[in-house]
Amino acid sequence: MTKRAEPDGTDLVRSALAAQGYSEEKIAEILAGLGGAHAKAESQSAVSQGGGAAATDHGIAVGGDVHGGMTVVQPGVSGAPTGKTLDEAYLRYLCAEVSRVTLSQIDSSVEGADPLAKFELHAVYTALLTTTPRGKPGREMPAPSMLDRGVRSLSALELLDLHPRLVLLGDPGSGKSTFVHFVALCQAGERVGAPWPDLGVLTAPVPGEEKVQPWRHGTLVPVRVILRDFAVDGLPALGEKATAEHLWQFIAGSLAAVGVGDYAPRLRDRLLSEGGLVLLDGLDEVPDAAGRRLQIREAVESFSGLYTKCRVLVTSRIYSYRSQGWRLTGFEEAELAPFSDAQIERFVKDWYAHAASRGRGSAEDAEGQARLLVQEIEGNPRLRGFAERPLLLTLMASLARARGRGLPDRRAKLYEQVVELLLDLWECVRYQKDKEGKYRLVQPSLSDWLKTDRSAVREVLEDLAFEAHSAQTAAEGTADIAEKDLVARLVKLAGSEEVSQKQLVKFLSERSGLLIARGVEVFTLPHRTFQEYLAACHLTRGSFPDEVAELGRQDPDRWREVVLLAAAKAEEGTVANVWTLARSLCSVDPESAESELPDALGAFLGGLALVESPRALGQVGRQNRDQLERLRRWHIHLLGDERFPAVERTAAGTTLWALGDPRFNEETWFLPKDPLLGFVEIQEGNFRMGEDAGLHEVFLPTFYMARWPVTVAQFRAFAVAAQYEGVPKEFLDRPGSDPVVSVNWHDALAYSRWLGGRLLAEAEKKKASGCGDEERERAFWQGLASGDLSVRLPSETEWEKSARGVAGLTYPWGERHARNRSNDYDSGVGKVSAVGCFPRGASPYGVEDLAGNVWEWTRSVWGEKFNYPPVKGDGREDRVLRGGAFNDLPWFARCAVRHRYAPADRNGSVGFRIVVSRSDLASEFSGF
């Protein structure tokens, strides 16, 4: 349909912008930036054809699919465009073209209904890092662990600043195209001004850093080329050599197609004489027809050789570029790095803030939701692995925002929703505009193409994921899926020979969905989690639970996550499925002579399966009580089973608490279920204290040391009962069996006084019954009732005797460090662990967790001498800490090592334990 433009072309531009979803306010802002119409045009001077844009003999027309601040002009009359006008028209068009990201590209369900269906790129863009370390451009980091050791990597912008010819590599969803768009937007925005971002926005510091990113080349005219389109419409006939002229003619034709063809001569002159920034996006998406890849390489290298003053950036997927002969002569390479914690936090906060600015909730709510999502990601290694890739982080943020309360609390639900969103990417229909401005179908949706429904496609993926996972030898990463197997099964779904296998491979290679092309004739899944989840879905369609249980019992390293995800998937039907799986995994008691390693492994997985299915634990019927008790006993057994590495034992400790830890009595303030409520008697006598030249004998009367540090559950009971505030809430929301951390000396003192009052009341009750049957039990309770014993923080003398015994051991268990007996840096646990996970590391008295896990406050004031004689203080001086922590080297776990903190200090690796000792001791110890 032909539509006449208004005399000044304003309505035409307004319609074009409105069709792209711009608000009236933004449209007015863009039009105002043009200073109104730069030229007048007669009513017949411009037409719109097919909703596109066309250059006619009389001027330029902009149709509904083109957006940006365009001018409608008539050559040869008053008001014909000047060079400045053409510059501004092109740059404003480019800004509008790259400034907004449509969420339907990620999640089609949000298009239209969601106010963020289109959002401003600069509002959520997060600066990207590469794997190239500073000072070594062009070289990759030798190991990811260097990132954790302070080795600073270069940003993508820094490398673009360093190298006039650069290939930026990354996996699908890593941010390559987004970087191209953002660079183009800021460069163009610097020239045209508001409302677009400028070079100041482009060079803003990378999250977590303070210095701005360098850019020494000023403002460059950006030219963006989608290489896939160039391969279709710009290359010469097969067999002919491609040159710079072919690429230029494609650029010029693209300008004419969007209504700024008059700008092409001026742009070419500028690129040749002054230079510019040429952004060639998606080298890996070039069709694989014979010779096309070679032609693209020829054209890019020829263009770079002719337009020598231009900086040229090419983007490509990693495997495609490095394994298929696409390497460009004279170009440096850089690989995008996964998102760091700081990048993840910045993106999430900006995402929610932008949502609020677009009318989706208040700024305060957005800040709280962002903080919740960041905490969820930081607290879950699997989610953290997802969030390293911008595309998947965007999906997570979209899901969390749509829910309004964070991510689904069940990871199986989260994986299911993300899988469906990625499948949606295969359901989008792609059109392409030809040289006449008309649209033609380029790719149908996958299900339409195969003439089947998406559930059938998904089952194929589930089967392939299971087979790939079964055959994979590596314990990390994703397995290869042979292209021939994938294509053959999908073509079989179609039931027709009409489906071209080559076109199907092209489709799967170009779409960023559940499969990624990795090298020649090989695909893979975007993350190991997807491989495991789809394999679990396959198993729930088969002989569940027998096959799942057998795989988990025989090879838990490979199948652990698959077993847990299969349990969660099966629970969607009925919670009875989870209990059935738990019985298949664990059917033998730990005390049984027939129990073997697979039984222990099955018990470990059975406990995890129940913990990850809270509905199952909340519905323990009569027939399941024996099974739950069996799993509890197994997990206590697992804590001391050194066939399991420390990481697995600490996981068992956390699971035990969730199952209901029989070691603790909830009715008695979560204290252990033994006659002394978890206190261990340390009999009077001398012991050797200190080390080296400072070694000396010390006498102590009998006292009672807590077997374990104070746990989160114990401290939380105190905080509630005493209405005590001060410890950050997030440290009380941890698993109850973990030692409480981030408590200062005053918090520990307050807890000891509160517990002292509770135990005194308990001692008064026991008077009538004789205070227990055993002599040590009577002495403990009578001492409390009479006031001879007090509950308090241990002195460092009491602490050290409890740790090393009378012989003065170097470590609680002996003279040499043993990796599996303490939660220190060498254990590999990497975080605070549940109490009691290292029983083989107990002291000669049976006191546990004295080495590693958390530093422990004592009541002792820091002394001047290493021999630690008592020093009186007024409570404001530094207090001594003992024991070392999970993130310390084994040297700090020695019994004689001392540390100090100010009483008001808090730290995530500092906790405490309690002692019951003589009330009348005037000093820390006697006999020195």
Side-chain angles (χ1 to χ4, degrees):
M1 179 181 295
T2 301
K3 176 182 178 180
R4 291 189 177 276
E6 293 300 319
D8 64 357
T10 300
D11 279 356
L12 191 58
V13 175
R14 185 182 299 279
S15 297
L17 295 172
Q20 292 297 318
Y22 281 82
S23 66
E24 285 297 323
E25 181 181 355
K26 178 64 75 174
I27 292 172
E29 195 172 16
I30 293 171
L31 292 174
L34 287 171
H38 289 286
K40 299 289 184 180
E42 296 185 3
S43 60
Q44 69 272 22
S45 65
V47 296
S48 173
Q49 296 179 340
T56 72
D57 291 338
H58 302 287
I60 301 171
V62 184
D65 72 317
V66 179
H67 48 105
M70 306 303 299
T71 60
V72 180
V73 300
Q74 181 181 14
V77 300
S78 177
T82 64
K84 182 178 180 181
T85 301
L86 290 171
D87 285 346
E88 190 166 353
Y90 165 71
L91 293 170
R92 285 188 177 275
Y93 158 72
L94 183 60
C95 283
E97 185 74 13
V98 299
S99 67
R100 309 187 103 191
V101 176
T102 303
L103 278 186
S104 60
Q105 298 169 359
I106 300 167
D107 181 2
S108 60
S109 66
V110 304
E111 182 69 22
D114 192 318
L116 266 187
K118 293 184 176 71
F119 62 86
E120 301 293 339
L121 174 60
H122 71 273
V124 295
Y125 177 80
T126 302
L128 301 175
L129 291 170
T130 70
T131 59
T132 304
R134 171 176 278 178
K136 301 176 182 179
R139 294 180 56 190
E140 294 180 12
M141 284 193 172
S145 60
M146 292 184 65
L147 292 170
D148 300 326
R149 298 175 183 172
V151 178
R152 199 276 201 192
S153 60
L154 293 169
S155 71
L157 183 64
E158 286 178 283
L159 285 169
L160 187 60
D161 176 72
L162 281 171
H163 302 301
R165 304 287 183 270
L166 177 67
V167 178
L168 187 63
L169 303 173
D171 287 328
S174 59
K176 304 182 299 296
S177 294
T178 303
F179 178 69
V180 166
H181 289 183
F182 188 68
V183 170
L185 174 63
C186 294
Q187 288 284 353
E190 177 73 18
R191 286 179 173 263
V192 298
W196 312 110
D198 54 19
L199 292 184
V201 178
L202 177 65
T203 58
V206 173
E209 301 183 6
E210 296 181 357
K211 292 184 178 180
V212 298
Q213 300 175 78
W215 182 255
R216 300 165 297 171
H217 311 287
T219 309
L220 301 177
V221 175
V223 179
R224 182 180 67 114
V225 175
I226 299 174
L227 289 175
R228 178 183 65 245
D229 295 339
F230 171 50
V232 173
D233 293 332
L235 289 177
L238 288 173
E240 294 184 19
K241 185 178 180 63
T243 66
E245 186 61 20
H246 291 107
L247 181 51
W248 169 253
Q249 289 299 330
F250 175 77
I251 294 171
S254 300
L255 295 177
V258 297
V260 286
D262 288 351
Y263 182 60
R266 179 175 173 84
L267 175 62
R268 185 170 195 171
D269 289 344
R270 175 164 287 164
L271 295 180
L272 287 167
S273 61
E274 302 175 17
L277 182 59
V278 180
L279 307 164
L280 307 176
D281 193 20
L283 180 62
D284 57 285
E285 296 184 7
V286 171
D288 58 359
R292 288 304 190 190
R293 291 171 180 166
L294 173 61
Q295 286 181 315
I296 285 288
R297 191 176 69 187
E298 289 173 342
V300 172
E301 291 177 350
S302 175
F303 190 92
S304 301
L306 179 61
Y307 293 82
T308 56
K309 294 189 176 181
C310 289
R311 308 188 75 78
V312 181
L313 171 69
V314 179
T315 70
S316 178
R317 296 182 187 182
I318 301 169
Y319 287 98
S320 299
Y321 185 77
R322 290 178 172 165
S323 64
Q324 298 188 25
W326 286 358
R327 289 193 164 178
L328 296 166
T329 303
F331 280 72
E332 295 287 343
E333 298 174 21
E335 184 177 326
L336 287 175
F339 262 6
S340 66
D341 290 337
Q343 287 172 300
I344 292 170
E345 183 175 1
R346 171 71 61 78
F347 175 85
V348 171
K349 287 182 176 179
D350 287 350
W351 176 277
Y352 277 95
H354 188 47
S357 72
R358 299 292 296 275
R360 184 65 176 267
S362 67
E364 183 178 359
D365 288 344
E367 184 178 352
Q369 291 171 353
R371 187 163 53 247
L372 173 62
L373 179 55
V374 170
Q375 290 172 358
E376 287 184 278
I377 292 170
E378 290 178 346
N380 187 321
R382 289 277 164 170
L383 293 184
R384 178 63 179 78
F386 266 29
E388 290 178 348
R389 184 167 296 178
L391 172 63
L392 298 182
L393 180 57
T394 303
L395 289 173
M396 291 165 65
S398 179
L399 286 172
R401 185 173 49 77
R403 287 169 50 85
R405 58 182 187 280
L407 294 170
D409 54 2
R410 303 286 305 283
R411 58 186 179 140
K413 284 286 187 185
L414 171 64
Y415 301 162
E416 175 65 21
Q417 292 180 22
V418 174
V419 163
E420 287 299 310
L421 290 178
L422 289 173
L423 284 173
D424 283 344
L425 298 178
W426 287 350
E427 295 304 300
C428 298
V429 178
R430 280 188 176 178
Y431 292 91
Q432 189 175 52
K433 187 164 55 180
D434 61 22
K435 295 178 180 179
E436 287 74 35
K438 296 181 180 180
Y439 287 90
R440 56 184 175 87
L441 178 66
V442 176
Q443 284 180 346
S445 69
L446 185 60
S447 58
D448 287 343
W449 194 6
L450 299 177
K451 296 180 175 59
T452 187
D453 58 52
R454 65 189 285 167
S455 63
V457 173
R458 175 166 172 159
E459 286 191 7
V460 167
L461 295 178
E462 291 172 357
D463 296 344
L464 287 168
F466 172 76
E467 293 164 13
H469 195 73
S470 300
Q472 187 177 8
T473 57
E476 298 179 353
T478 54
D480 290 343
I481 297 174
E483 178 186 293
K484 61 181 179 62
D485 294 337
L486 170 64
V487 172
R489 296 197 195 187
L490 291 177
V491 170
K492 185 177 180 180
L493 284 181
S496 170
E497 298 298 327
E498 296 178 2
V499 176
S500 165
Q501 294 192 17
K502 286 188 176 181
Q503 289 299 313
L504 185 55
V505 170
K506 178 177 182 293
F507 178 98
L508 296 172
S509 299
E510 292 182 0
R511 298 289 186 103
S512 297
L514 265 177
L515 291 172
I516 298 172
R518 179 159 79 181
V520 179
E521 298 181 345
V522 171
F523 282 84
T524 190
L525 291 152
H527 193 275
R528 187 178 178 89
T529 291
F530 295 118
Q531 178 176 302
E532 292 165 333
Y533 178 68
L534 292 173
C537 293
H538 164 88
L539 287 169
T540 57
R541 296 182 1 240
S543 55
F544 182 89
D546 295 341
E547 186 178 7
V548 179
E550 186 61 22
L551 290 170
R553 285 166 54 87
Q554 298 300 328
D555 192 356
D557 289 342
R558 181 193 305 265
W559 294 104
R560 169 178 168 170
E561 289 301 315
V562 176
V563 169
L564 299 180
L565 292 169
K569 183 73 174 174
E571 188 203 24
E572 295 174 5
T574 172
V575 295
N577 288 335
V578 185
W579 285 104
T580 302
L581 174 60
R583 282 191 291 273
S584 295
L585 286 164
C586 177
S587 59
V588 177
D589 292 328
E591 304 85 5
S592 171
E594 289 80 25
S595 68
E596 298 179 352
L597 181 59
D599 298 306
L601 295 169
F604 177 70
L605 290 176
L608 285 174
L610 285 174
V611 170
E612 294 204 5
S613 303
R615 286 201 305 150
L617 274 182
Q619 301 178 27
V620 185
R622 184 183 310 167
Q623 70 275 20
N624 295 321
R625 291 174 188 167
D626 290 344
Q627 182 63 26
L628 178 59
E629 181 58 32
R630 173 185 289 153
L631 287 170
R632 288 169 173 167
R633 296 199 312 275
W634 260 114
H635 278 71
I636 290 177
H637 173 79
L638 292 176
L639 297 184
D641 192 338
E642 291 198 348
R643 293 178 300 178
F644 283 76
V647 173
E648 301 295 341
R649 295 205 315 277
T650 56
T654 302
T655 299
L656 177 59
W657 179 261
L659 293 174
D661 193 338
R663 299 175 299 170
F664 288 86
N665 187 342
E666 185 172 343
E667 296 177 357
T668 316
W669 321 297
F670 299 95
L671 291 171
K673 290 179 179 177
D674 62 45
L676 300 186
L677 299 184
F679 289 95
V680 177
E681 182 181 19
I682 313 294
Q683 295 182 346
E684 70 176 14
N686 292 329
F687 81 102
R688 287 191 295 172
M689 184 176 185
E691 60 182 350
D692 300 331
L695 194 64
H696 55 283
E697 290 277 326
V698 177
F699 174 82
L700 281 176
T702 297
F703 63 94
Y704 305 86
M705 179 67 86
R707 185 179 302 276
W708 298 305
V710 172
T711 67
V712 170
Q714 290 170 324
F715 196 90
R716 190 164 54 217
F718 150 67
V720 172
Q723 297 184 331
Y724 186 84
E725 298 180 355
V727 177
K729 184 177 182 298
E730 58 265 28
F731 291 101
L732 299 183
D733 289 338
R734 302 163 67 98
S737 55
D738 286 1
V740 67
V741 294
S742 198
V743 286
N744 63 30
W745 188 79
H746 302 294
D747 300 327
L749 201 63
Y751 176 88
S752 68
R753 289 169 177 165
W754 173 82
L755 183 62
R758 298 290 184 176
L759 293 185
L760 178 59
E762 187 72 12
E764 293 289 342
K765 292 179 184 178
K766 289 181 177 291
K767 272 186 178 180
S769 60
C771 295
D773 298 329
E774 296 184 6
E775 181 178 349
R776 69 185 184 94
E777 187 180 349
R778 288 196 297 273
F780 177 78
W781 290 110
Q782 288 173 355
L784 284 169
S786 65
D788 291 339
L789 296 177
S790 298
V791 178
R792 50 188 173 176
L793 297 177
S795 68
E796 63 173 331
T797 318
E798 292 166 340
W799 190 98
E800 189 166 330
K801 182 175 183 180
S802 301
R804 67 195 317 179
V806 297
L809 298 173
T810 301
Y811 293 93
W813 55 83
E815 293 303 318
R816 294 181 178 276
H817 178 261
R819 181 179 183 182
N820 221 16
R821 297 192 179 184
S822 61
N823 182 10
D824 52 42
Y825 181 83
D826 278 10
S827 73
V829 175
K831 61 180 181 179
V832 173
S833 59
V835 299
C837 292
F838 296 86
R840 295 287 302 278
S843 77
Y845 298 106
V847 183
E848 299 180 30
D849 286 359
L850 287 163
N853 211 4
V854 295
W855 285 99
E856 299 179 12
W857 286 110
T858 72
R859 68 177 184 267
S860 300
V861 179
W862 181 263
E864 291 296 328
K865 297 181 180 179
F866 186 70
N867 295 343
Y868 13 99
V871 177
K872 294 182 179 180
D874 58 5
R876 290 178 295 178
E877 298 164 311
D878 286 355
R879 298 286 168 167
V880 175
L881 295 99
R882 289 301 201 104
F886 64 91
N887 52 0
D888 290 314
L889 294 172
W891 185 89
F892 290 94
R894 294 180 302 116
C895 298
V897 171
R898 309 167 74 227
H899 192 29
R900 64 176 177 176
Y901 265 178
D905 286 352
R906 300 183 187 277
N907 188 285
S909 62
V910 174
F912 69 102
R913 75 174 70 215
I914 295 298
V915 71
V916 175
S917 61
R918 286 267 298 274
S919 304
D920 60 346
L921 291 179
S923 63
E924 296 293 334
F925 53 85
S926 58
F928 174 71

